């Protein structure tokens, strides 16, 4: 029988008679005195694991889909060299499936009194906080026959933030905002409600914008230019109840709502408006208010990182009361929720007048693109039935939206890809019409 690896090393000591124990077993080794002494020496010369000193450094946050590098520094204070395997354990959602073994295991050798660093690269698949588990170290002797093994708790947390994929739309929305704000050569008459400046009249200007007093002081006709009002209050309300848990594509509806809220917050803060966030189902899950324009977006991102849908029915009365307390002044309240008929008709509509009486209300909802695909299906009986079911669902959704509009609510309904830019456009339209 050919011997390889450690068996060959033991055979060199003249100490291994090999015989089959029973079918299916690889064998049994009979160890004599010299071999036992070699094994004992190998174990004794392995560096003790408990005496090692471990510290962490590196990234503390990353966006979903990006990577985070966490460095583990291992110091060997003993007089023996360390030859070891290291396993840096993290929750399973810290890596893409199938990459954990390669990413979390390291081999290293540390001379006495020195230190070495190993880096674990995380690529999380879920939002929220990922906390390091334990570091397991297996220390080998010089012969590699025996090892010592132990674990260390080295705390570290990496916060996985929302990906904010809709930020690609921000430049185009900011360009539209600059047009409304009069900072480009394009100036649309009649937009906005705050006086900006005077300029000379040109044919086609609205005669209601003529400033007669200024005209009397000069030889040409002067007209007023306007800009959208600044320092308006915007409250983003995320419904984190049962309906937000429904999956659209590969992610819950809540994730698409958060992405749309982030784009609107980035745009509104650039426009000089004050932005606050309320996440609610039956109690407050997150609340961000009173932040400066430069701090509002990071604050929202960190507040949203740990939000998860709750499998409870949203308390519409509690949500309304909390929103009114959070926004005591006239504000734009953006409610990101579902357009399902039952929750809206039984929960939201009875309390909606409390919001619309004092505030401008905008409801944004995530539509399932699969429903639109089903509505176009034809070819066989099953496809026709699917198309009929999809058409019925779309009709109910349109009727629910129309009920909200009759109460003076602006409704934005879009798929995960187009909800964020559609919501930003609705905000700009309200601003241009002077409704904020």
């Amino acid at each position: 029988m050919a011997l390889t690896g450690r068996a060959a090393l033991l055979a060199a000591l003249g100490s291994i008679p090999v015989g089959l124990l029973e079918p299916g077993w690889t064998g049994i080794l009979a160890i004599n005195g010299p071999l036992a002494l070699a094994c004992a020496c190998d174990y004794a010369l392995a560096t003790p694991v408990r005496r090692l000193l471990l510290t962490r450094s590196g990234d503390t946050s990353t966006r979903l889909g990006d990577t985070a590098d966490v460095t583990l520094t291992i110091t060997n204070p003993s007089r023996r060299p360390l030859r070891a395997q290291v396993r840096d354990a993290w929750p399973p959602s810290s890596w893409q499936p199938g990459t954990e073994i390669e990413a979390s295991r390291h081999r290293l050798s540390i001379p006495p009194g020195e230190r070495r660093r190993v880096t674990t690269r995380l690529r999380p698949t879920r939002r929220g906080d990922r906390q390091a588990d334990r570091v397991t170290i297996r220390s080998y002797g010089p012969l590699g026959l025996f090892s010592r093994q132990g674990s260390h708790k080295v705390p570290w947390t990496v916060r996985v933030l929302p990906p904010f994929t809709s930020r690609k739309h921000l430049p185009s929305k900011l360009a539209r905002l600059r047009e409304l704000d009069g900072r480009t050569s394009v100036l649309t008459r009649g937009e906005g409600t705050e006086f900006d400046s005077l300029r000379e009249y040109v044919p086609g200007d609205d005669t209601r914008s003529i400033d007669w007093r200024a005209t009397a002081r000069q030889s040409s006709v002067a007209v007023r230019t306007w800009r959208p009002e600044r320092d308006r209050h915007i409250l983003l309300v995320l419904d984190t109840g049962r309906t937000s848990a429904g999956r659209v594509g590969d992610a819950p509806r809540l994730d698409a709502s958060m992405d749309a809220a982030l784009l609107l917050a980035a745009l509104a803060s650039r426009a000089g408006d004050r932005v606050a966030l309320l996440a609610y189902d039956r109690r407050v899950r997150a609340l961000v208010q009173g932040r400066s324009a430069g701090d509002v977006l990071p604050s929202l991102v960190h507040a949203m990182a740990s939000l998860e849908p709750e499998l409870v029915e949203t308390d519409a009365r509690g949500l309304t009361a909390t929103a009114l307390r959070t926004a005591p002044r006239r504000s734009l309240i953006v409610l990101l929720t579902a357009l399902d008929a039952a929750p809206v008709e039984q929960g939201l509509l009875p309390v909606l007048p409390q919001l619309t009486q004092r505030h401008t209300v905008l409801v944004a909802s995530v539509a399932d693109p699969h429903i639109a695909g089903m509505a176009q299906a034809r070819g066989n009986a099953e496809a026709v039935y699917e198309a009929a079911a999809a058409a019925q669902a779309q009709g109910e959704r349109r009727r629910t939206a129309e009920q909200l509009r009759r109460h003076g609510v602006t409704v934005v309904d879009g798929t995960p890809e187009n909800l964020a830019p559609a919501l930003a456009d609705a905000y700009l339209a309200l601003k241009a019409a002077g409704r904020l």
Side-chain angles (χ1 to χ4, degrees):
M1 180 180 296
L3 301 177
T4 60
R6 294 179 184 174
L9 177 60
L10 298 175
L13 299 175
S15 56
I16 311 179
V18 179
L20 293 178
L21 185 64
E22 62 179 76
W25 287 58
T26 58
I28 186 172
L29 302 178
I31 305 178
N32 61 11
L35 178 59
L37 179 60
C39 293
C41 292
D42 197 46
Y43 177 80
L45 292 175
T47 302
V49 173
R50 292 184 179 180
R51 297 182 58 189
L52 301 175
L53 304 177
L54 286 75
T55 58
R56 289 191 187 273
S57 61
D59 297 331
T60 57
S61 65
T62 185
R63 292 193 181 276
L64 184 64
D66 293 342
T67 59
D69 291 339
V70 180
T71 299
L72 185 67
T73 302
I74 304 175
T75 303
N76 178 16
S78 70
R79 299 180 180 179
R80 307 170 193 168
L82 173 67
R83 306 172 187 86
Q85 282 186 329
V86 179
R87 180 176 182 265
D88 190 4
W90 290 76
S93 58
S94 301
W95 291 282
Q96 296 289 336
T99 64
E100 177 183 358
I101 294 179
E102 180 182 357
S104 64
R105 287 166 169 76
H106 312 275
R107 286 184 176 271
L108 77 165
S109 178
I110 307 178
E114 297 188 13
R115 68 184 64 179
R116 293 291 185 271
R117 294 181 176 88
V118 293
T119 299
T120 300
R121 174 159 291 181
L122 309 178
R123 193 179 184 90
T125 58
R126 292 180 57 187
R127 287 182 295 101
D129 291 339
R130 298 292 169 267
Q131 297 180 345
D133 193 355
R134 63 188 65 194
V135 178
T136 302
I137 301 177
R138 182 173 293 174
S139 171
Y140 291 96
L143 297 178
L145 301 177
F146 278 80
S147 64
R148 302 170 183 261
Q149 181 169 306
S151 298
H152 290 257
K153 293 290 290 184
V154 191
W156 195 260
T157 301
V158 174
R159 171 156 289 192
V160 186
L161 308 173
F164 193 14
T165 55
S166 63
R167 64 181 179 271
K168 62 187 177 184
H169 299 290
L170 187 57
S172 62
K173 305 307 175 187
L174 288 175
R176 173 60 178 155
L177 178 64
R178 286 192 293 270
E179 292 180 8
L180 295 180
D181 210 15
R183 289 196 293 267
T184 66
S185 59
V186 179
L187 183 63
T188 306
R189 296 298 313 135
E191 292 186 339
T193 57
E194 281 190 358
F195 173 72
D196 183 36
S197 61
L198 294 171
R199 65 170 176 82
E200 186 176 348
Y201 174 86
V202 295
D205 282 341
D206 189 345
T207 56
R208 292 173 296 179
S209 298
I210 297 176
D211 189 315
W212 295 107
R213 291 186 179 181
T215 300
R217 295 193 298 267
Q218 59 188 35
S219 59
S220 59
V221 178
V223 295
R224 302 184 186 95
T225 62
W226 308 88
R227 66 181 180 187
E229 292 188 12
R230 293 175 172 271
D231 201 28
R232 302 297 92 185
H233 289 251
I234 299 174
L235 176 60
L236 304 172
V237 181
L238 284 174
D239 179 0
T240 56
R242 172 186 60 82
T243 56
S244 69
R247 300 189 72 84
V248 179
D250 296 330
R253 280 189 169 90
L254 180 60
D255 286 31
S257 297
M258 290 192 298
D259 193 54
L262 288 174
L263 179 62
L264 179 55
L267 182 61
S269 62
R270 298 285 187 90
D273 293 334
R274 299 178 183 271
V275 181
L277 170 72
L278 170 66
Y280 192 95
D281 41 73
R282 289 188 175 273
R283 64 181 180 86
V284 176
R285 301 291 176 177
L287 179 61
V288 178
Q289 57 185 156
R291 297 296 195 275
S292 63
D295 188 49
V296 64
L297 194 60
S299 298
L300 294 185
V301 169
H302 279 273
M304 292 177 180
S306 57
L307 286 178
E308 295 292 343
E310 301 292 332
L311 299 182
V312 295
E313 199 70 40
T314 299
D315 178 11
R317 293 187 181 277
L319 185 150
T320 301
T322 306
L324 290 173
R325 288 195 302 269
T326 307
R329 296 178 54 185
R330 179 169 179 80
S331 307
L332 169 64
I333 295 182
V334 180
L335 176 58
L336 294 113
T337 186
L339 278 181
D340 297 351
V344 171
E345 293 175 358
Q346 299 173 16
L348 182 59
L349 285 180
V351 298
L352 193 57
Q354 300 178 35
L355 293 176
T356 56
Q357 183 179 6
R358 189 189 307 176
H359 305 288
T360 302
V361 180
L362 190 158
V363 171
S365 182
V366 182
D368 190 347
H370 183 63
I371 300 296
M374 289 175 55
Q376 303 298 322
R378 298 293 187 275
N380 54 48
E382 182 179 357
V384 171
Y385 278 116
E386 288 184 352
Q392 181 180 5
Q394 289 176 330
E396 291 180 354
R397 199 173 182 88
R398 285 192 295 268
R399 286 191 294 272
T400 303
E402 187 57 35
Q403 284 182 298
L404 292 172
R405 291 188 181 100
R406 285 199 294 268
H407 284 77
V409 175
T410 301
V411 179
V412 176
D413 187 19
T415 61
E417 291 76 19
N418 62 31
L419 178 64
L423 180 58
D425 288 339
Y427 162 78
L428 293 173
L430 291 172
K431 220 169 170 55
R435 293 181 57 190
L436 297 187

